[in-house]
Amino acid sequence: MPESDYAAWRARVESALDRALPGADEAPQRLHAAMRHAALDGGKRMRPLLVYASGTAFGADAAALDVPAAAVELIHAYSLVHDDLPAMDDDALRRGKPTVHVAFDEATAILAGDALQSLAFELLADAPFADGVRVALLRELSIAAGARGMCGGQALDIDATGGKSVSLADLERLHAMKTGALLRASVRMGAIAAAADAGQRAQLDRYADALGLAFQIRDDLLDIESDSATLGKTAGKDAAQAKATFPALLGIDGSRARLQALATAMADALAPFGERTARLAALGREAIERRR
């Protein structure tokens, strides 16, 4: 897939986020500045790209996907703000710049995360979709962000930190919730906006489930193999905090082998769709081959 397509979609979601976020000069200025610090000018934008790739594959216009793409990125941004807090991962660097609680303060970071989450659902509630589509999009993002998805996965991650014994099945469940749920929702939301049918969406779920695990395994490997300057966040944190990771459980070679198996699973899931899902296939490869 041409990088120009990625660049165009990133520009679209950046513009949508800029329009949706309150101005930094509007009161309360500190909160609004923190929200903009968290959400703008950084990140891979993998989740919005998945919304665009899935939706356009089934006939949606990119303009119709701007709101779902922005909403899922706002949820991701909120999760990173809270994940970086001293009570969680206690990190000082995110997307190559100071984390929100470092750049502002801890209380402002908590409020900024809360406000970003609320804004995501406000955008979807006001989106120009038919009522049934709007409710389906809201439901999808709500489940992915809550106790059955990202928040539940984070709770399991906390429970598994500190050198506790975790089985492979438990680790895969943890990350299917913490990381995979929002990636899967991104694919699903694009398909919902494009009115893909139930069979097509079930096939996309197979792709998205493999993608979510692959994305996390690659993250775990990068934490070992890369450096903070390249990653834009602190490297080596997993080992320092004795987190449950795929390399810790499978070893580096075993993790790489699992990545390749997931790459095959993604390709198999998309094969029935042919060229129309080429952009999704490229994003799957990017998840496995990325350097940050």
Side-chain angles (χ1 to χ4, degrees), residues 89 161-163 219-225 234-248:
D89 280 359
T161 298
D219 245 17
D220 288 353
L221 286 167
L222 285 170
D223 189 71
I224 296 169
E225 298 172 343
T234 307
K237 292 276 289 188
D238 291 345
Q241 296 178 343
K243 279 183 167 282
T245 67
F246 286 96

Side-chain angles (χ1 to χ4, degrees), residues 176-242:
M177 294 168 68
K178 180 183 175 183
T179 302
L182 201 56
L183 291 166
R184 176 173 170 151
S186 302
V187 175
R188 282 185 164 190
M189 289 169 72
I192 290 167
D197 65 39
Q200 291 167 332
R201 283 152 62 179
Q203 195 72 13
L204 289 174
D205 279 349
R206 290 181 52 212
Y207 159 82
D209 288 344
L211 172 68
L213 280 180
F215 194 91
Q216 184 59 51
I217 292 171
R218 186 64 186 141
D219 245 17
D220 288 353
L221 286 167
L222 285 170
D223 189 71
I224 296 169
E225 298 172 343
S226 193
D227 56 72
S228 299
T230 302
L231 293 177
K233 60 182 180 180
T234 307
K237 292 276 289 188
D238 291 345
Q241 296 178 343

